[in-house]
Amino acid sequence: ITVVFGLVILCIAFNIADMTLLAMLGLSVLTVAGLVSHTDVFNAARASSGSLALLFGGMVVARVLAPTGIFDNLGTRFLILTGGSGRRFLLLLTALTAVVCAILPNATAVILIAPIVIQVCKELDTDFTGPLILTAIISNAAGLLTLVGDPATFLVGQAAGLSFLQYLQKISPGGLLSILIVIPLMPWLLGPIWKARRRLSPDLRPEPVARLGFCVLSLCALAAMVALFLVGDYLPIPIIPPSAAIIGASLALLALHVSRYESTEAVFRDIDWRTLVFIFCMMCFVEEITKTGVMSGLSRMLYAAFGDHLLETSLVLLAAIGFLSGFLANIPVVAAAILLAKGYLVMTKMVPELALGFGFTDWPPQSLPIFAGMMFGGTLGGNVTLIGSSATLVAAGISANHGKPIPFAAFMRYGVPIAASQLAASALYIWLLAL
């Protein structure tokens, strides 16, 4: 299992073939070898269902909004705000991405913001790949601002039993810190764009939004999804974020059907199934690795090395998960790390063995740094490479679709220094959280 998984990752790194194809081929080899059962696939589907639902719902809403022209309109307005300054463009892009990711999953935010980035870069006569990579990286950091901002964060938050408001109080400030730490790095990593100055046309005006009524209905679907993210836990019948994402997507498709602007088949055809299938395949790999007993062995090693010293354990998890998430995709890494952390906390006798099961949330307050380490490590470690997170995968796909594929090594030129700085800042925040 380990050999096949390692070969898949190496082939992806060297761009031997499409990464989703490689992941599927790897699973096919394990299946033919008799190592993958239908139970394993079912377990992987259960573990990944929440994250995939968040991504799918956001993708549908973004795709429904696309033909209204709202992105072109916003892109022109955004361009006017930059005043032709590359520095202002990057700072405004950071702020916009942070706001959008506070209410929507990060991959969805990239889908929504990418058209604006590409339009503005064309007007400023600069390459859009750097700002697009920056958008993905900021979206991962901003995914820490709320419980629904990143599928990996949602997995850990759900396992920790954190409500939306509890998350805002305990984790969100660390997410804000990880965004701010990127700004001093921009002149170094994006120097030509940071220094760019262009004179904008005085006649620049935003194009009117096509089919305003349909656009309003679609935005209402988006607003309903966001509202359910915020208050779903407090309704008489609780609605968890993945369910809220599916409800929002359904309302957006209903608005499309009623308006007859285009067919729902066209929307489903344009969904980024490639990214969704890749994430699911990686979850299947994690299920197979977990089945070998590696996670329980690592839990014992962690306890043997650090005992009940939770701060040290949290920092080790932050570093280890941060590294692995960059090369193995953060969602499956975090899913495996949750099992490891649960096993460790059981060994410390802070929780009963019942905690190893699905749905246990009665964790002691002093265990929060453990979960925070997994959140920060998984989310920010996903910035290291273009396969590290759903947001970076989506950004790479959009760039390729516009004629500029992003090489694996080229992404790391941005991702490694930013992720290292963010993880260092996160270590400081976890230390403060443990006091």
Side-chain angles (χ1 to χ4, degrees):
I1 292 172
T2 305
V3 170
V4 172
F5 189 49
L7 287 173
V8 168
I9 297 302
L10 283 175
C11 289
I12 291 173
F14 287 101
N15 199 28
I16 301 298
D18 177 80
M19 59 188 178
T20 304
L21 170 61
L22 291 168
M24 292 174 67
L25 287 174
L27 278 180
S28 298
V29 170
L30 295 180
T31 302
V32 172
L35 298 175
V36 178
S37 67
H38 70 279
T39 303
D40 299 332
V41 175
F42 174 78
N43 290 338
R46 184 179 68 172
S48 61
S49 60
S51 300
L52 293 178
L54 278 173
L55 290 173
F56 173 76
M59 287 177 179
V60 169
V61 174
R63 172 57 183 81
V64 168
L65 277 167
T68 65
I70 189 171
F71 299 129
D72 293 333
N73 182 284
L74 292 174
T76 303
R77 294 180 185 276
F78 191 87
L79 177 61
I80 293 171
L81 285 175
T82 68
S85 165
R87 178 175 59 184
R88 190 179 299 175
F89 163 51
L90 294 177
L91 293 175
L92 286 172
L93 177 60
T94 300
L96 175 64
T97 305
V99 170
V100 175
C101 281
I103 56 177
L104 290 172
N106 54 2
T108 303
V110 172
I111 295 172
L112 292 171
I113 296 171
I116 297 174
V117 171
I118 293 170
Q119 179 184 348
V120 172
C121 285
K122 287 180 179 178
E123 293 293 334
L124 295 179
D125 193 25
T126 59
D127 184 11
F128 62 75
T129 54
L132 202 55
I133 291 172
L134 177 67
T135 302
I137 288 174
I138 294 294
S139 73
N140 280 335
L144 287 162
L145 293 176
T146 65
L147 186 60
V148 299
D150 186 288
T153 300
F154 173 75
L155 278 176
V156 182
Q158 185 182 46
L162 293 175
S163 70
F164 201 94
L165 292 179
Q166 287 173 329
Y167 184 95
L168 290 177
Q169 294 170 353
K170 301 292 186 180
I171 306 298
S172 295
L176 180 60
L177 177 63
S178 67
I179 296 171
L180 296 177
I181 205 72
V182 179
I183 295 176
L185 300 175
M186 289 181 185
W188 171 47
L189 294 173
L190 296 158
I193 299 174
W194 183 268
K195 298 173 184 176
R197 297 290 184 274
R198 298 290 184 273
R199 183 181 297 276
L200 301 179
S201 170
D203 299 327
L204 199 60
R205 296 287 185 277
E207 292 292 328
V209 175
R211 300 228 176 187
L212 185 59
F214 167 58
C215 183
V216 170
L217 287 175
S218 301
L219 289 174
C220 286
L222 176 61
M225 183 168 70
V226 173
L228 289 174
F229 284 156
L230 295 172
V231 303
D233 286 339
Y234 306 100
L235 296 177
I237 300 177
I239 297 177
I240 61 175
S243 300
I246 297 300
I247 291 171
S250 302
L251 292 175
L253 289 171
L254 178 61
L256 184 67
H257 175 74
V258 170
S259 70
R260 302 191 181 281
Y261 188 67
E262 63 177 335
S263 67
T264 54
E265 288 84 356
V267 173
F268 286 119
R269 189 165 54 245
D270 291 341
I271 295 301
D272 188 4
W273 299 108
R274 176 173 169 267
T275 296
L276 297 177
V277 171
F278 177 77
I279 291 172
F280 176 70
C281 287
M282 298 303 283
M283 292 295 286
C284 289
F285 276 117
V286 168
E287 177 64 26
E288 295 309 307
I289 292 171
T290 302
K291 193 171 63 174
T292 64
V294 170
M295 291 300 109
S296 58
L298 290 175
S299 295
R300 287 191 293 271
M301 290 174 60
L302 202 60
Y303 180 69
F306 300 101
D308 58 358
H309 295 90
L310 299 186
L311 176 58
E312 290 86 342
T313 305
S314 302
L315 295 178
V316 168
L317 286 174
L318 171 72
I321 295 171
F323 174 79
L324 292 174
S325 292
F327 296 91
L328 307 181
N330 61 356
I331 295 175
V333 168
V334 163
I338 290 171
L339 299 177
L340 185 155
K342 284 183 174 183
Y344 166 75
L345 290 171
V346 167
M347 290 179 185
T348 63
K349 302 191 184 305
M350 291 185 179
V351 288
E353 287 192 16
L354 179 66
L356 295 173
F358 186 78
F360 182 88
T361 57
D362 190 21
W363 305 100
Q366 61 267 34
S367 67
L368 182 59
I370 296 287
F371 291 102
M374 289 191 289
M375 287 182 190
F376 287 110
T379 304
L380 300 175
N383 284 332
V384 174
T385 71
L386 57 81
I387 66 168
S389 72
S390 55
T392 55
L393 284 167
V394 167
I398 293 172
S399 187
N401 289 339
H402 284 80
K404 292 193 174 183
I406 302 173
F408 198 87
F411 188 100
M412 290 182 68
R413 188 175 73 82
Y414 298 91
V416 171
I418 291 178
S421 301
Q422 290 174 323
L423 290 171
S426 299
L428 175 61
Y429 183 77
I430 290 172
W431 175 72
L432 293 173
L433 197 63
L435 293 180

